[in-house]
Amino acid sequence: MEKIVTQTIQIEQARETSGAKVQSKRIEGYDVARALAIFGMIIVNFKIVMDSSNAGADWLVFFAGLFEGRAVALFVILAGVGLSLLSRKSFQSGDVVARKQAQIRVLKRSAFLLVFGLLLATIWPADILHFYSMYMLIGAILLFQDSRSLVIVATGLVIGFPVLFLLFNYEAGWNWQTLTQVDFWTPGGLLRSLFFNGFHPVFPWAAFLVFGMWLGRQDVKNPQFRKRVIRIALAVLIVTELTVAGLVALFSPESGQEVASFLFSRAPIPPMPFYMLSAGSSAVIILMTVIQIGEQFSQSGWWKAMVTTGQFALTLYVAHIIIGMGIMEFAGWINGNVSLAWTIAYCIAFYLAGVLFSVIWQQRFKRGPFEALMRALTD
């Protein structure tokens, strides 16, 4: 038995090392997918600030709603992919010193994002960077664990949330009228928000990053692998959607439509397992599809512009809060003064300006302003 276990571990390590070797050239699809995730996050956040989510035609409300909780799921999965790529050489070599240095680098970035994210939270309570820092902390701990362990941890994070939901009061600290947490700046409120009932708490959101770490070790350049992953993700998405619809229909007569929809929610608040499965599978389908498209259009100008935009993702995220929302405040578009159509138009205009900025900036500088600042302080 001991011999079989040893051989299994060796095979697993060989596969992971092989996967690491395959990822020798930068996969631009990751950058483009990150650029798309930022666009989706801009739409979600701007329509919340403008309070225009339902101020439009049904088809437009449906379109804008597609990004809710899904764009940011893709963003976090890509963060996990980035951690695996960052540690690829040390993972492959097994160099203890190099591994420790990689973990320290991730920990430094985690600390930087926590401080900067909390500063942003004073402007935008739904900021994700301070949550992102907690995911990075977990990522640093798991950076060199085997793939099986990553899958187990990701599953545990997803299952852990409904357990916490049953044990603790999810609504504690929330003012649902203003969609803010009134005790956020207290030690207990901050801890509760980060790990349980914030906008993107560690339980279960860190599962997206851990899954991304697993995905970053796989041979995504292999068309057969991508097709297989898309098939599995599509099956998960369809089964999840049908299951939710069936459960809501089954329990609605007794508990009511609103209660049933809450219990079997696919919304990001609260992030129940059905949401995690739906958003995660959607993100994987988009990611694999984008990588496939990149093999055909890698030399196109629009593709290169999107690659650059994805590399400036953190800069654009910060800019959409400070500059994008600042313009809204100055123009008087806050809290329901504009239609959803106008909101979407503004999102597109702001995003295109961000793409243009990224392309122009990269002609003189290798990294975006925020990315360069983080590198300077953490590398």
Side-chain angles (χ1 to χ4, degrees):
M1 176 63 71
E2 182 179 352
K3 183 177 180 181
I4 294 174
V5 172
T6 302
Q7 289 177 341
T8 302
I9 294 174
Q10 290 174 343
I11 291 172
E12 177 70 18
Q13 290 175 339
R15 286 177 177 173
E16 291 178 346
T17 301
S18 176
K21 289 179 179 179
V22 171
Q23 308 288 348
S24 58
K25 183 180 178 182
R26 186 181 186 93
I27 301 175
E28 294 181 338
Y30 289 145
D31 295 316
V32 175
R34 193 176 294 109
L36 295 176
I38 285 294
F39 177 64
M41 292 165 71
I42 288 174
I43 289 180
V44 172
N45 291 340
F46 281 6
K47 70 188 181 75
I48 290 175
V49 173
M50 293 186 183
D51 193 22
S52 60
S53 298
N54 298 309
D58 290 343
W59 69 269
L60 195 58
V61 172
F62 174 77
F63 169 76
L66 290 175
F67 299 96
E68 293 182 3
R70 299 178 186 274
V72 70
L74 176 58
F75 187 72
V76 178
I77 287 174
L78 286 164
V81 171
L83 288 185
S84 285
L85 298 181
L86 175 70
S87 59
R88 181 182 62 216
K89 291 182 179 179
S90 51
F91 181 86
Q92 180 180 348
S93 67
D95 187 325
V96 176
V97 175
R99 289 188 171 193
K100 184 174 294 186
Q101 290 175 342
Q103 287 180 308
I104 291 174
R105 182 190 297 181
V106 176
L107 289 172
K108 286 181 177 179
R109 292 186 181 182
S110 172
F112 172 82
L113 290 171
L114 177 62
V115 173
F116 199 89
L118 290 175
L119 290 174
L120 280 182
T122 62
I123 304 172
W124 175 235
D127 163 71
I128 194 176
L129 293 188
H130 60 287
F131 294 103
Y132 195 94
S133 71
M134 293 295 100
Y135 312 155
M136 296 280 279
L137 176 61
I138 294 173
I141 296 171
L142 299 174
L143 203 56
F144 300 107
Q145 295 298 314
D146 58 71
S147 294
R148 187 183 312 167
S149 298
L150 296 182
V151 172
I152 292 173
V153 171
T155 304
L157 287 165
V158 173
I159 296 174
F161 176 76
V163 174
L164 293 175
F165 188 85
L166 294 173
L167 295 176
F168 301 100
N169 179 14
Y170 181 77
E171 296 189 358
W174 272 104
N175 181 334
W176 295 111
Q177 299 299 318
T178 59
L179 204 59
T180 57
Q181 293 180 294
V182 296
D183 63 347
F184 178 81
W185 295 107
T186 66
L190 178 60
L191 190 65
R192 188 192 329 111
S193 175
L194 285 172
F195 287 91
F196 172 50
N197 76 338
F199 285 96
H200 310 98
V202 167
F203 288 93
W205 274 81
F208 287 135
L209 179 131
V210 177
F211 171 77
M213 292 174 65
W214 174 87
L215 188 61
R217 297 178 181 180
Q218 310 309 309
D219 182 13
V220 298
K221 289 185 177 180
N222 185 335
Q224 296 305 316
F225 173 81
R226 291 198 301 268
K227 291 178 181 178
R228 183 166 65 252
V229 170
I230 288 176
R231 284 197 297 268
I232 294 173
L234 186 59
V236 171
L237 179 62
I238 292 173
V239 170
T240 300
E241 297 296 322
L242 291 177
T243 302
V244 168
L247 289 173
V248 170
L250 180 64
F251 285 90
S252 289
E254 293 185 6
S255 59
Q257 177 75 25
E258 185 175 348
V259 174
S261 297
F262 177 81
L263 291 175
F264 309 110
S265 172
R266 292 181 294 105
I269 298 178
M272 291 296 189
F274 285 125
Y275 160 71
M276 297 296 292
L277 290 172
S278 180
S281 56
S282 299
V284 169
I285 292 170
I286 292 172
L287 179 55
M288 294 297 106
T289 302
V290 169
I291 293 174
Q292 176 65 35
I293 292 173
E295 294 187 351
Q296 302 176 28
F297 297 98
S298 60
Q299 300 304 313
S300 301
W302 66 269
W303 177 266
K304 293 179 179 178
M306 291 296 286
V307 169
T308 301
T309 303
Q311 294 170 359
F312 282 53
L314 289 178
T315 291
L316 295 181
Y317 174 81
V318 173
H320 101 280
I321 294 175
I322 297 176
I323 300 175
M325 294 182 187
I327 293 173
M328 285 186 261
E329 180 76 29
F330 179 79
W333 297 338
I334 305 295
N335 297 329
N337 292 326
V338 298
S339 67
L340 182 57
W342 178 261
T343 301
I344 299 298
Y346 177 62
C347 290
I348 294 173
F350 183 85
Y351 184 73
L352 290 177
V355 173
L356 181 61
F357 166 80
S358 301
V359 172
I360 294 175
W361 183 275
Q362 199 185 52
Q363 291 177 358
R364 295 194 60 184
F365 305 98
K366 183 178 180 180
R367 298 184 179 93
F370 188 81
E371 287 81 5
L373 175 64
M374 183 173 68
R375 291 283 188 120
L377 295 177
T378 62
D379 282 0

